[in-house]
Amino acid sequence: MSTSVHAAEINAAPVGMSLPRLLVLGLQHVFTMFGATVLVPMLTGLNVAVCLFMAGAGTLLFHLVTKGKVPAFLGSSFAFLAPIFASKAIATEMAINAGMVVDGISGSASTDFINSYVTGGIVVAGLVYLVMAGLIALVGVEKILKFFPPVVTGPIIMVIGLKLAPVAIGMAGFDGGANAPMAWLAFLSFAVVAGISVYAKGFLKVLPVMMGLLVAYLVALATGNVDFTPVVKAAATPFALPGFTLAKFDLSIVLITAPVALATMVEHIGDVIAIGETTGKDYIKEPGLQRTLIGDGLATSFSAMFGGPANTTYSENTGVLALTKAFDVRIMQIAAAFAMILGLMPPVAALIQTIPTAVVGGTAVVLFGMIASVGAKSLVDHKVNFNESRNLIVAAVILVLGLGGAVIKFAVVGVNIEFGGLALAALVGILLNAVLPETKK
């Protein structure tokens, strides 16, 4: 990847901002990551408060390992949903055999028992990152980088954003689904984000997401479209320690979960390159890919060790970076601190949950599209020649496999494993780029 810095973008980033402004920008990133971060534990039965706390703690750990140089936020990873569900089935059978589940009824003790084994597999998956980081340190990052030229990384970044497009459309209600009656709120939040990004001046220009959420939320509140039930339920416990549970380990669960790290590491490289393309810096070389992998892996293992899901660099927050040009890493660190506080204060977290899904979806339409645009911009900036058939083929295959949901299924030691999505697309793209000859000039 080129080390050139896009001066216009860097100069647009606020320098020497006051603490109040940093706090507001950090809060904007919290609103951006919140919905997706809490959705993983809501889908899997893991503890929401633990998830929020560990997202913040994992982000700070990542920043510590990467010397505070990469403006990234780490939230709950969706890549581990399939192995989590498979692991829960195995752990539930273990609970039944232990007499902890009677007639299909699972109490809090058995739930903790099941989740502790589920997260044990994720702990080991995080450690796989460290093995890869060691390999990179051994052979050198340059030998890894040659497999990721712009013709590969550009389409990978585009897939990261476009793969999320259906999620944004569904949240906004633009697909005619369950959120369709609230689609007008999504359009309102989208219009505010776009308007502020283009027309606003000064500090307001770096707050498009927060203002889009705030304006649409106030309108939803005035029209009776806000449900405060979660806040009422959480009001009884204004402050509480998250329900941490220590991870436990079972070989069959580890064999199901750990291989997923091979896929998520490819996604990690794509995310780090995307952040670098957004800020105009080469984080693959400094602080180094091995450091970003170690930071991501340790954040995942640390989160799972105490009952949280896997952590991963969040594309949503990369979208905010691209939109605001505010690249100060302190903003992400403040967002991480806010996430930890939310994990300790159920009513505050519940209040954020009252933001209608369509409102968040309206901003997501912009953010996910911005990530795809960064990928396209990378191809233009690096002058990738699409008059060459081999470049067309590499880009086309990455886009089709990544967006089409291609999956390869195989078994290892009797355990069924799926390898697909962005990871498969990236691997095939890397292989094609390596074997297809370039035109000699």
Side-chain angles (χ1 to χ4, degrees), residues 216-260:
Y217 182 74
L218 291 176
V219 172
L221 188 62
T223 54
N225 287 301
V226 176
D227 180 12
F228 285 103
T229 303
V231 179
V232 174
K233 290 181 178 179
T237 53
F239 179 87
L241 288 174
F244 298 116
T245 56
L246 283 175
K248 298 178 182 178
F249 303 92
D250 176 78
L251 181 59
S252 59
I253 289 178
V254 168
L255 290 174
I256 288 175
T257 309
V260 178

Side-chain angles (χ1 to χ4, degrees), residues 64-148:
L64 177 64
V65 173
T66 57
K67 302 186 287 187
K69 293 189 175 182
V70 185
F73 187 94
L74 275 65
S76 305
S77 173
F78 285 81
F80 284 84
L81 285 180
I84 285 177
F85 291 134
S87 299
K88 285 180 74 74
I90 295 173
T92 300
E93 186 67 27
M94 294 166 62
I96 292 173
N97 293 335
M100 302 184 72
V101 178
V102 180
D103 296 330
I105 299 175
S106 175
S108 59
S110 60
T111 298
D112 290 345
F113 175 88
I114 293 168
N115 288 343
S116 65
Y117 279 100
V118 169
T119 56
I122 299 173
V123 170
V124 179
L127 298 179
V128 175
Y129 279 66
L130 276 62
V131 175
M132 177 58 73
L135 180 62
I136 291 173
L138 183 65
V139 303
V141 70
E142 292 296 336
K143 291 185 177 180
I144 302 298
L145 282 177
K146 71 178 183 180
F147 293 105
F148 293 90

Side-chain angles (χ1 to χ4, degrees), residues 78 159-169 315-316 364 368 371 403:
F78 285 81
V159 170
I160 291 173
L162 295 176
K163 189 71 174 177
L164 295 168
V167 177
I169 296 300
S315 301
E316 292 91 330
F368 297 160
I371 299 167
L403 298 175

Side-chain angles (χ1 to χ4, degrees), residues 86-380:
S87 299
K88 285 180 74 74
I90 295 173
T92 300
E93 186 67 27
M94 294 166 62
I96 292 173
N97 293 335
M100 302 184 72
V101 178
V102 180
D103 296 330
I105 299 175
S106 175
S108 59
S110 60
T111 298
D112 290 345
F113 175 88
I114 293 168
N115 288 343
S116 65
Y117 279 100
V118 169
T119 56
I122 299 173
V123 170
V124 179
L127 298 179
V128 175
Y129 279 66
L130 276 62
V131 175
M132 177 58 73
L135 180 62
I136 291 173
L138 183 65
V139 303
V141 70
E142 292 296 336
K143 291 185 177 180
I144 302 298
L145 282 177
K146 71 178 183 180
F147 293 105
F148 293 90
V151 70
V152 172
T153 59
I156 287 176
I157 295 170
M158 293 175 69
V159 170
I160 291 173
L162 295 176
K163 189 71 174 177
L164 295 168
V167 177
I169 296 300
M171 292 174 65
F174 294 159
D175 61 349
N179 292 324
M182 307 281 275
W184 63 278
L185 285 172
F187 182 79
L188 175 60
S189 64
F190 166 83
V192 173
V193 171
I196 289 179
S197 298
V198 175
Y199 298 109
K201 303 294 182 182
F203 183 61
L204 185 62
K205 190 175 181 66
V206 298
L207 298 176
V209 176
M210 178 172 285
M211 294 307 299
L213 291 172
L214 180 61
V215 171
Y217 182 74
L218 291 176
V219 172
L221 188 62
T223 54
N225 287 301
V226 176
D227 180 12
F228 285 103
T229 303
V231 179
V232 174
K233 290 181 178 179
T237 53
F239 179 87
L241 288 174
F244 298 116
T245 56
L246 283 175
K248 298 178 182 178
F249 303 92
D250 176 78
L251 181 59
S252 59
I253 289 178
V254 168
L255 290 174
I256 288 175
T257 309
V260 178
L262 299 175
T264 56
M265 280 189 292
V266 176
E267 294 182 10
H268 169 91
I269 295 172
D271 282 337
V272 171
I273 291 174
I275 297 171
E277 289 290 345
T278 300
T279 63
K281 295 184 179 181
D282 192 347
Y283 300 118
I284 296 292
K285 293 184 178 179
E286 180 59 38
L289 179 58
Q290 63 270 34
R291 280 188 174 270
T292 64
L293 282 169
I294 291 172
D296 201 340
L298 287 179
T300 289
S301 294
F302 181 63
S303 170
M305 181 59 72
F306 296 98
N311 281 335
T312 186
T313 45
Y314 251 31
S315 301
E316 292 91 330
N317 296 89
T318 303
V320 175
L321 292 176
L323 196 62
T324 65
K325 307 296 189 295
F327 306 139
D328 194 325
V329 293
R330 292 176 297 172
I331 296 170
M332 294 299 190
Q333 292 163 2
I334 289 171
F338 274 130
M340 295 176 72
I341 292 171
L342 289 175
L344 298 170
M345 301 178 66
V348 178
L351 182 61
I352 296 179
Q353 284 182 273
T354 65
I355 300 175
T357 301
V359 171
V360 180
T363 65
V365 169
V366 180
L367 297 180
F368 297 160
M370 288 296 293
I371 299 167
S373 299
V374 167
K377 183 176 181 297
S378 174
L379 294 171
V380 174

